[in-house]
Amino acid sequence: MTHKTPTPDTLDRLAAVVGGKHAIRNTAEMDGYMREWRQIWVGRSPMVLRPGSTGEVSRILAIANETGTAIVPQSGNTGLCGGQTPTDDGHEVLLSLDRMTRIIDVDANDNTITVEAGATLKSVQDAAAAKDRLFPLSLASEGSCRIGGNLSTNAGGLNVIAYGNTRDLCLGLEVVLADGRVWNGLKRLRKDNTGYDLRNLFIGAEGTLGIITAAVMKLYPRPKSHETAFIAVPSPQAAVDLLSLMKELSGNRVVAFEIIADFALEITIRHAGARHPLASSSPWYVLAELADPVRGAMEALLESALEKGLVTDAAVAQSDSQRAAFWSCRELISESQKPEGGSIKHDISVPVSRVPAFLEQADAAVSQLIPGSRFVSFGHMGDGNIHYNVSQPPGMDKTAFLDSWNAMNDVVFDVVAKLGGSISAEHGIGRLKAYRMPKIKSAVELGMMRDLKRMLDPNGILNPGRVLPE
Ligand code: FAD
């Protein structure tokens, strides 16, 4: 059964589950749920449901499953792939987790935090910090994104090099299945070898297999000190070698290792008021951070790197404000691209050792496609994850440049495939890249994914068309 336009009777039954106040039908009130912040994905829906409990989510899905009503789960609405906003045909009902925000439990001995799916990432970090623990997931959207969305996209962010992706931070889940059954898998176990790992099916599934309503996440001791350096390196290969050296000499205390192209730094200075942390320019920079290092460890290892020719200049932050200034050079890049005209973005990963080859080959391929393109390459080099953003040539018509979005994706993704990489490192597939799945997955892999979808959601009501093309 494919999903149908919900009848007035179905909408009334769904609204009765949450109560009139939490079933929004007024277009103006629904607006914030219908569009994401860049206005790229804008949709329509007959109703927004805001359940307050797992029981209510369960009753909603049971009705939706019976009536063939498509449901789009939404947490913080910061996703970048069109997964959390409805299509514009007005058939899909939006289910927001924004009332399910409870921090259920923080256990400093088990090093766990149990939360409802609508808790914002920031509130989870703060609740952990209040018990002197670290919840290490950190994204620029952390004030708005919610843990259900982080899990459903398997979000990455700044500290993956040390603590892993959201998947690695999760111990247990509670999930409502398409037919309304509730799976309570809220375990705190570090070891549990009892058969198939169901939890991992729902992580990164972008709401296509079930709705996550609560989770148990891992906590860590809070680092007592950091050493942060802004480093000039002659090439991406030098950055790869520097990363190996840093891991080795620091005793694996590297918690961030971001690469920044000179042009990316230049535009943050030009448009966002960032200050150059070094006296002169270099083709590439690395922003690196050690947690709880032996005092002076950063300076010692930079000296060693200087001797090896891996580093040409560096500044080590002497205060919290200098550390924040270094980080702002990284965090302001995306917004600094806007005044440079059109920009075509890619969130790719390759094995760390192949980042230099990726940058060289992708730059060559894109330059051939659109001569004069400018490369705003930056990102989580320590994870092999580059935000490969291309700004239009100066003077080119913006619309003409953006019209080549798919053609540019094609040439970049060809390089990614050749190097054994992934076309989505951390943002997911959503509607944006679903059509590419048959190209990037083998028939066996795609077949297993479709079988799982059919088994867990036989009526296709959960986020149709996301991840798997219809
Ligand atoms: P939403 O946008 O609401 O949803 C995302 C997807 O998950 C959708 O498909 C939705 O249907 C599904 N979903 C949501 N909640 C549930 C649920 N409870 N159960 C089942 N499915 C659900 N991402 C990174 O990985 N790393 C970054 O560094 C990063 N930086 C960002 C910076 C900015 C400024 C912005 C705007 C975004 C950034 N993102 C980043 C992308 C985004 O913040 C992440 O994908 C985040 O994890 C999405 O969480 P959310 O709560 O906003 O989810």
Side-chain angles (χ1 to χ4, degrees):
M1 171 162 83
T2 50
H3 66 275
K4 297 186 286 209
T5 313
T7 62
D9 177 56
T10 300
L11 292 176
D12 287 346
R13 285 175 68 196
L14 290 167
V17 174
V18 293
K21 189 172 152 211
H22 300 301
I24 308 171
R25 302 191 203 207
N26 173 303
T27 314
E29 281 177 51
M30 279 196 278
D31 192 58
Y33 297 92
M34 296 298 117
R35 56 184 75 241
E36 43 84 71
W37 64 292
R38 300 164 305 166
Q39 315 289 338
I40 292 178
W41 299 98
V42 181
R44 288 189 306 122
S45 176
M47 187 157 66
V48 170
L49 294 167
R50 301 178 64 227
S53 68
T54 301
E56 289 184 2
V57 176
S58 162
R59 299 212 299 281
I60 290 168
L61 289 198
I63 295 167
N65 195 44
E66 178 202 319
T67 56
T69 305
I71 298 286
V72 176
Q74 184 180 98
S75 283
N77 194 12
T78 68
L80 299 172
C81 300
Q84 76 280 8
T85 46
T87 52
D88 56 14
D89 62 14
H91 297 332
E92 298 177 336
V93 170
L94 191 137
L95 185 154
S96 170
L97 279 301
D98 63 0
R99 285 181 61 222
M100 294 179 58
T101 57
R102 269 189 319 140
I103 306 287
I104 299 166
D105 176 65
V106 186
D107 192 312
N109 289 326
D110 282 344
N111 273 309
T112 57
I113 184 163
T114 306
V115 298
E116 286 187 327
T120 63
L121 174 52
K122 178 79 171 59
S123 74
V124 178
Q125 294 167 343
D126 289 349
K131 290 262 177 110
D132 199 26
R133 291 291 179 271
L134 173 75
F135 182 59
L137 186 66
S138 176
L139 323 177
S141 54
E142 63 200 21
S144 306
C145 65
R146 299 172 190 269
I147 215 72
N150 300 145
L151 283 157
S152 299
T153 56
N154 184 28
L158 295 173
N159 297 320
V160 173
I161 186 172
Y163 300 99
N165 294 295
T166 308
R167 185 186 296 286
D168 304 295
L169 299 173
C170 180
L171 290 172
L173 286 184
E174 178 184 78
V175 181
V176 180
L177 303 181
D179 60 8
R181 282 177 298 159
V182 179
W183 172 49
N184 184 338
L186 289 176
K187 291 187 177 175
R188 302 177 180 191
L189 301 176
R190 305 280 163 162
K191 289 188 168 183
D192 180 14
N193 272 344
T194 54
Y196 308 137
D197 186 348
L198 298 175
R199 178 191 59 205
N200 268 325
L201 275 182
F202 297 99
I203 300 175
E206 301 180 44
T208 60
L209 300 181
I211 296 189
I212 297 171
T213 43
V216 183
M217 308 301 291
K218 291 182 194 170
L219 300 180
Y220 292 83
R222 259 152 63 90
K224 301 287 179 265
S225 66
H226 287 99
E227 289 193 349
T228 308
F230 201 91
I231 306 163
V233 294
S235 64
Q237 186 57 51
V240 171
D241 296 339
L242 177 65
L243 173 62
S244 294
L245 188 78
M246 270 200 178
K247 283 185 171 175
E248 202 182 306
L249 297 188
S250 72
N252 212 12
R253 289 180 187 278
V254 184
V255 290
F257 196 93
E258 301 286 306
I259 193 165
I260 303 171
D262 187 40
F263 181 58
L265 178 62
E266 189 186 312
I267 61 174
T268 66
I269 294 168
R270 191 182 308 153
H271 301 299
R275 290 187 57 187
H276 201 309
L278 303 173
S280 56
S281 293
S282 159
W284 294 93
Y285 307 91
V286 163
L287 175 57
E289 193 155 274
L290 305 178
D292 288 333
V294 174
R295 189 183 268 263
M298 183 65 94
E299 272 175 22
L301 67 83
L302 286 173
E303 262 171 42
S304 168
L306 204 62
E307 277 165 26
K308 293 180 195 314
L310 302 179
V311 165
T312 52
D313 191 11
V316 179
Q318 301 300 321
S319 62
D320 284 350
S321 65
Q322 202 179 6
R323 178 183 176 215
F326 288 0
W327 272 107
S328 70
C329 294
R330 160 68 178 83
E331 283 155 4
L332 294 170
I333 296 172
S334 287
E335 67 177 71
S336 306
Q337 271 195 274
K338 283 192 195 132
E340 292 293 327
S343 118
I344 300 180
K345 305 190 175 184
H346 309 84
D347 160 44
I348 64 92
S349 69
V350 292
V352 175
S353 62
R354 295 184 182 170
V355 169
F358 167 76
L359 290 167
E360 191 185 323
Q361 292 174 29
D363 285 6
V366 170
S367 297
Q368 199 172 6
L369 184 73
I370 304 182
S373 291
R374 296 167 301 159
F375 303 105
V376 187
S377 310
F378 66 100
H380 316 300
M381 168 101 185
D383 316 320
N385 173 194
I386 300 298
H387 296 309
Y388 187 70
N389 296 352
V390 183
S391 279
Q392 67 172 78
M396 183 176 177
D397 176 62
K398 183 175 171 181
T399 311
F401 178 76
L402 292 178
D403 281 348
S404 59
W405 192 294
N406 285 341
M408 188 181 295
N409 285 176
D410 285 344
V411 300
V412 172
F413 292 158
D414 279 351
V415 176
V416 168
K418 235 173 43 194
L419 296 171
S422 168
I423 66 165
S424 177
E426 51 179 19
H427 295 160
I429 296 295
R431 282 188 277 158
L432 180 68
K433 294 178 183 165
Y435 75 100
R436 290 189 180 267
M437 291 294 269
K439 225 180 145 186
I440 62 165
K441 299 283 179 190
S442 70
V444 173
E445 209 171 356
L446 202 61
M448 284 194 289
M449 289 176 81
R450 287 197 188 284
D451 287 348
L452 282 167
K453 172 74 177 168
R454 262 192 297 271
M455 185 197 63
L456 286 166
D457 181 18
N459 295 331
I461 61 157
L462 288 173
N463 243 357
R466 282 72 171 182
V467 181
L468 290 169
E470 282 185 303

